[in-house]
Structure formats: structure tokens, C-alpha cells
Amino acid sequence: MPKGAKKGENRFKKSQDENVSFRINRLKDHVVPEMKAICDHTHFKNKTSFLKMCTIIFNNDLPVNEKKITHRTIDSNAKYWMIVGTVYHYYFEKGYKTLESIKNEGLNTLRNI
């Protein structure tokens, strides 16, 4: 009986999902509150410098068995960017609209039809 992975099977899926969930929790619990505090007092000239600051905060006091994250990883992964991107858009995006304002705008246009 073969011990290897079957065709189309990922033997490491569980550990990969655990790594992603650890990073998501660390972004939510550690990075977002610190970035909110930093963004109240500073300005980042672009998205890349914002992401680099997020990675510095993320990698600070990281457990020994965890891999460091890069700014490109946060940018390219939609799950990570949804968490950190809300802070970026709230502070630095011109004309940023909250979900409530978008909903109200849509309802107003439907009423006018």
C-alpha cells in the first residue's frame, strides 16, 4: 500500500491552512491596532511603504518557528490585504466611502428611479 499522496491530493493542506489562519489572526490582533495608532500621526507616501511598515510590525517578536512575511505576500494575498487594506483605504484613500454610505447611496438612486 503506497504511503505517498494520491493524485490531486495535498498532504500538507492542514498545516498550510493553520499557517494562513495564524497569519490572519496576527494581522488582526497585532498589526491592525498598531497601524491605526501609527496612521493617526504619520503619512505614508504610497501603498508599498505602508505595507513595509506592516511587515515590520508583523515580524517584530514573531515566534521562532514561524516564517517572516514580506510586503509582497500581503499585497498579493487577498485575505491578508482585506484585513490590512481597510486601514490603508480608511486613512489614505481619497474619497473613501464606508459600506454604510455606499448602501445609502444605492438606496437613494433606487428611490429616484
Side-chain angles (χ1 to χ4, degrees):
M1 191 165 214
K3 291 187 177 182
K6 296 175 187 166
K7 188 173 183 176
E9 180 184 20
N10 184 356
R11 294 187 306 167
F12 306 106
K13 180 132 180 80
K14 184 178 177 185
S15 65
Q16 290 169 346
D17 290 341
E18 288 173 358
N19 287 337
V20 169
S21 67
F22 169 78
R23 286 182 168 184
I24 288 173
N25 290 335
R26 185 158 173 91
L27 284 170
K28 286 180 183 176
D29 300 337
H30 191 69
V31 175
V32 169
E34 285 195 40
M35 286 307 294
K36 284 181 180 179
I38 290 171
C39 289
D40 283 335
H41 304 290
T42 60
H43 177 74
F44 294 98
K45 63 180 179 179
N46 55 23
K47 181 179 169 184
T48 304
S49 60
F50 176 82
L51 289 172
K52 286 182 180 180
M53 188 64 192
C54 290
T55 58
I56 290 170
I57 293 170
F58 183 91
N59 294 332
N60 191 20
D61 297 330
L62 192 66
V64 176
N65 59 343
E66 294 297 330
K67 290 172 111 177
K68 292 186 175 187
I69 198 169
T70 64
H71 70 280
R72 290 184 177 147
T73 304
I74 296 174
D75 191 25
S76 63
N77 191 321
K79 292 178 184 178
Y80 301 159
W81 177 246
M82 281 178 56
I83 296 165
V84 178
T86 55
V87 176
Y88 176 77
H89 290 298
Y90 180 77
Y91 285 98
F92 302 113
E93 191 73 22
K94 294 180 181 173
Y96 176 71
K97 298 177 183 177
T98 62
L99 187 59
E100 190 67 29
S101 67
I102 293 171
K103 183 180 91 171
N104 291 337
E105 212 175 272
L107 289 174
N108 288 337
T109 56
L110 287 174
R111 287 183 192 132
N112 294 336
I113 292 178

